Amino acid sequence: MSETLPILYVPSPILRAKAKPVGPGDEDRVRALSEKMLATMYAAPGIGLAAPQVGELLRLVVIDIGPKEAPAPIVLVNPELVAQSRELAVREEGCLSLPNIFGDVQRPHQVKVRYQALDGSRREMEGEGLMSACLQHEIDHLNGVLFVDYLSALRRNMLLRRLAKELKMKAE
């Protein structure tokens, strides 16, 4: 297993920045980073991780919603949402950058995403249910958006205050 990377927590400003597209010549860096991101995600444990969460402002996401016994990692370079269903679904979400914080988020039930694979080929994938929510959540990270942004201001502030208190206690 590859080495893991430290995960940034809110209120790190990097989590609110827009990530830059991966360009030609970034292949080796992105391949190495994606391996470390997968190791970090599995160790956390989580089902998705975006490069800004480990301090890299690149449009790179790793996802694995499969069972632990049968990992099925997906690496998406420069992913973009190209279609979404009108049908919405509410699902409880959490985030490795907001440990122990959860909230019900309403998002499109089904999405289509266009991305590049590590070999540079252009691909599309569709996701529904958990995969749809995970794809949207991770692509949001690339745009500086967090799942708590979908909650009411009251609920968001309450959760962020609780997180700040927990992180402060952990640091002491």
Side-chain angles (χ1 to χ4, degrees):
M1 193 55 115
S2 188
E3 71 178 277
T4 61
L5 300 165
I7 295 172
L8 300 179
Y9 297 131
V10 166
S12 171
I14 291 174
L15 295 171
R16 290 300 190 176
K18 197 168 168 59
K20 296 183 296 290
V22 172
D26 289 336
E27 294 88 354
D28 292 341
R29 178 176 171 214
V30 164
R31 190 169 282 107
L33 179 58
S34 65
E35 280 181 28
K36 291 176 185 174
M37 285 172 59
L38 283 165
T40 302
M41 178 187 76
Y42 290 131
I47 60 170
L49 189 66
Q53 292 180 272
V54 293
E56 295 282 347
L57 281 175
L58 284 174
R59 298 188 78 76
L60 174 66
V61 164
V62 297
I63 291 175
D64 189 347
I65 64 167
K68 258 190 225 117
E69 316 78 62
I74 304 168
V75 177
L76 299 99
V77 178
N78 295 330
E80 56 180 325
L81 229 45
V82 292
Q84 60 188 39
S85 65
R86 277 209 253 282
E87 180 189 351
L88 301 175
V90 174
R91 178 176 288 281
E92 184 181 67
E93 292 188 23
C95 180
L96 297 176
S97 292
L98 294 112
N100 303 315
I101 300 295
F102 301 93
D104 288 338
V105 177
Q106 182 174 315
R107 297 181 183 271
H109 174 67
Q110 199 168 6
V111 294
K112 182 189 277 187
V113 173
R114 187 175 297 139
Y115 66 99
Q116 282 175 271
L118 282 175
D119 65 8
S121 62
R122 305 274 306 146
R123 300 193 184 171
E124 282 189 355
M125 71 178 285
E126 291 188 18
E128 62 180 279
L130 178 60
M131 179 57 87
S132 172
C134 193
L135 286 164
Q136 293 173 77
H137 178 112
E138 298 310 330
I139 291 171
D140 274 353
H141 272 298
L142 303 179
N143 298 316
V145 176
L146 302 172
F147 86 90
V148 291
D149 297 340
Y150 292 92
L151 307 177
S152 71
L154 182 68
R155 176 103 175 108
R156 178 175 53 250
N157 291 337
M158 186 182 82
L159 291 173
L160 292 176
R161 273 196 305 275
R162 189 174 88 208
L163 175 63
K165 188 175 164 185
E166 283 180 20
L167 292 175
K168 186 179 173 199
M169 284 170 53
K170 207 185 258 183
E172 289 174 354

